[in-house]
Amino acid sequence: MLVDAFLELLNLWVLVAALVGIISGIIIGAIPGLGPTMAIALLIPVTFSMQPIPAIILLLGVYQGAIFGGSISAVLLNVPGTPSSAATAIDGFAMARRGEGGRALRFALYASVVGNIFSCLVLMALAEPLARFALDFGPAEMAMLMLFALLVIVLFGGGSKLDALIMVLVGACAGVVGLDPISGTPRFTFGSFAFENGFQLIPVLIGLFAMSEVLLQAFDREALVGDVKVPPLKSSVVRFVELWRMRMTLFLSSLIGTFVGILPGIGSTVPAFMSYSLARSRSADPDTFGRGAPEGVAAPEAANNAVTGGALVPTLALGIPGDAVTAVILGAFMLHGLAPGPFLFRDHGLEVYAIFEALLLSSIPTAILGLLFFRVAIHVTRIQPRHLLPAITILAIFGAFSVNNSLFDVWVMLGAGVLGCLLRRSNFPLPPLLIGLILGAPFEQSLRQALLTSGGGYGIFVGSPITIGLVALTVLSLAISLFFNLRKPRI
Amino acid sequence: MRYTRRSTLVLLTGMAITPLAAVAQQDYPTRPITLVVPYGAGGTTDISARQMATMAEKILGQPIVVENHPGASGTNAMRAVASAEPDGYTLIATTSSPSFVTPALRDVGYDTLADFTPIMNYSGPFHGVVVPADSPYDTLDALIEGAKSGAVTYGTAGAMGGAHLAFASVAKDTGTMLQHVPFDGASKATAAVLGGHVDAALVPAYRDLVQDGQLRLLGVLDGTNDADFPDAPTLKEAGLAAEFPSIVGIMAPAGTDPAIIAKLETAFTEVASSDGFKTFMTDLSQPVRIMSGDDLAARIEENLAAYREIAKDLGN
């Protein structure tokens, strides 16, 4: 079967499709606001007349390429191209500011490849049993998992825990705006129809990270007088030993990414931050995190790329997509006569395994194209801010508008930009705000769903082995954090 | 003299305008048509509308540009199209929810009946009442019976959707404890019923999971039977006074020239009846259901009234 499937790939069109997909993915991912969902949706009509295998490979190439591409702008400009690369920006940009942008990009690339290969292998070996396992996560389990994720971000994300907590709560409060997830009534919409949709993630992300960067630099009086000195580019060699030393980080991050990817509805941003926090807490030298630690780049990149394989597990094995990207991919599979669901592996095993093998092998062109792309992209760090900032502003406005073709989103983006600028000036961390916004609404919904199914009884949150395990993990992390806090010498 | 002059002017103007108006209808379309889709790119509504557009532009002789305007369960797009110029160059491919479900619940800024002229209906996915394979409920009756002695939970794609309201009215009529659990999209509700976290779910796209034996189909919410499962009764056949008919149709802003509407109806109906479109929709697991513009208007009017009644009962 595996050999037959491989023979299906020996076709010039498959190679062309993979290359076109990956290249367009990397470019689209690098532009803030244009995520994989839009790229795939726009390319679906292009694939109508293609054979199923090259068509799907093209679209999955876009998916993989875009997740990776987001890290390029995150590292070089501190502007995450996709929400999932916001974690990469923390240490990646710090490295770039030292002139080590090339090294940071290579760490990101190699970690992406590791995460991708890991999750593809999992997908090939265990798609069906894992899809079954994902179904055990009902509302109560999801609520406890999200609570744990929020706690990990607050406790182990670095910096002041109080600051992080405040930011998480601000984000969660922003998530309240819109339609109530249970009763469907408008909340905090002030009678405006535009608010019913709530604050969308992409405009907020672009505002918080890209627009605020522009505002910060624009109002920084010294920086713009004359030419700004840019750091000289340093060698970007990454030796194998360096990667080998972080093998546990790469493994754990890939595991987190794959696992969270399998569960519907969390996406790739949260596992990226969870992996970052975990890598930081396991590190012998946690203080280097945030100041340009290569592990801080590798961990989130391995995780957010591993999500792609994980997210395909329930999509293909059950026909249940976990997020917008996989929903679009599901549509593409159906259009090409490969209806995802319980019959996919039985009826189209050959095509499916060919696609999986292509996903695995596409790591090779991704790595080659990535390295070529870096040679050009690295020079972005040498562009003068007065040239760069207007370009970022245009991209930010364009990106925010393109999500829903709505001017309201542009205002949200600008508002988030001003807020982000103020928060950064006062040294509040932005990532917890983003995580609060992403998880706040689904956490509320899962919590209330669980209580609806249990008839209002709180026992449901310790009612299954999974919830008990998650509650135990939550308590344990709190205890560990408290223990280290108490042992810290008082000043 | 004055009288004659004025009448001549009127006459001349009239003569000048009449052929222009006639030409405008005959020549329509003379420029690209925009077809708004109220959901994001890549969903089934979007994909089928794009195919419809690609096939119809060959008949109409002008490009049809599909524009996605997602958000607020489709009401944003409906509001935008309602206020668009009624010249036949802005159309919308819409579904049940923004046509007659949400407008029955709250002010959405448009009136489907007054602000739109339906052109035709071409699809509409069936919503099924599904339970896990190991569920104690074998029929709709058994499910309702079970809900008399204790709460039975059911998941849907979201709060105040058509499926939720249909079952809320069933619960009221039968005096049973059917507890609604809204999810964020139909696929998550399907996952929850597969995992046994809710007792039942009201979702579309159930075919393969039912045929594989992972889910059991007790009935459909539509007014007609699903051709793939002729044995699954409609709610009315099972003796329950509710239904959630699903529409996917094309509408134009009210006030569009009837000649243009007629031309569009002919073109889109020709596409929807073609074998090519049917094959395409089968690949997408969507039914082709053709209805004339007048029938679609009647269907919307009827359901809008029914849903207003249900909403009133729910205490909104």
Side-chain angles (χ1 to χ4, degrees), chain A residues 59-79:
Chain A
L59 298 176
L60 290 176
V62 174
Y63 186 19
Q64 283 189 327
I67 295 266
F68 167 67
S71 63
I72 297 178
S73 40
V75 167
L76 297 178
L77 301 174
N78 203 14
V79 175

Side-chain angles (χ1 to χ4, degrees), chain A residues 41 48 132 135-138 179 181-184 193 196-197 265 320-321 328 334-335 342-343 404-405 445 449 452-453, chain B residues 41 47 68 70-72 79 106-109 159-160 179-184 187 191 194-195 197 208 212 214 280 283 285:
Chain A
F48 274 171
R132 292 263 116 219
L135 292 178
D136 286 337
F137 277 74
L179 295 180
I182 300 295
S183 68
F193 292 120
E196 284 187 6
N197 231 8
I320 294 175
V328 172
M334 286 172 123
L335 276 182
F343 302 128
N404 278 344
N405 290 342
Q445 189 172 17
Q449 279 167 348
L452 281 174
T453 55
Chain B
I47 294 176
N68 298 93
R79 202 161 42 244
R106 60 171 191 268
D107 179 24
V108 284
M160 297 294 160
Q179 173 63 56
H180 178 233
V181 183
F183 285 84
D184 182 16
S187 52
L194 276 172
H197 304 289
D208 286 2
D212 189 41
Q214 300 191 30
F280 183 88
D283 280 346
S285 302

Side-chain angles (χ1 to χ4, degrees), chain A residues 36-88:
Chain A
T37 315
M38 188 179 298
I40 294 172
L42 292 178
L43 282 173
I44 283 179
V46 177
T47 67
F48 274 171
S49 56
M50 294 168 68
Q51 292 289 312
I53 294 180
I56 300 290
I57 287 174
L58 175 88
L59 298 176
L60 290 176
V62 174
Y63 186 19
Q64 283 189 327
I67 295 266
F68 167 67
S71 63
I72 297 178
S73 40
V75 167
L76 297 178
L77 301 174
N78 203 14
V79 175
T82 51
S84 61
S85 53
T88 316

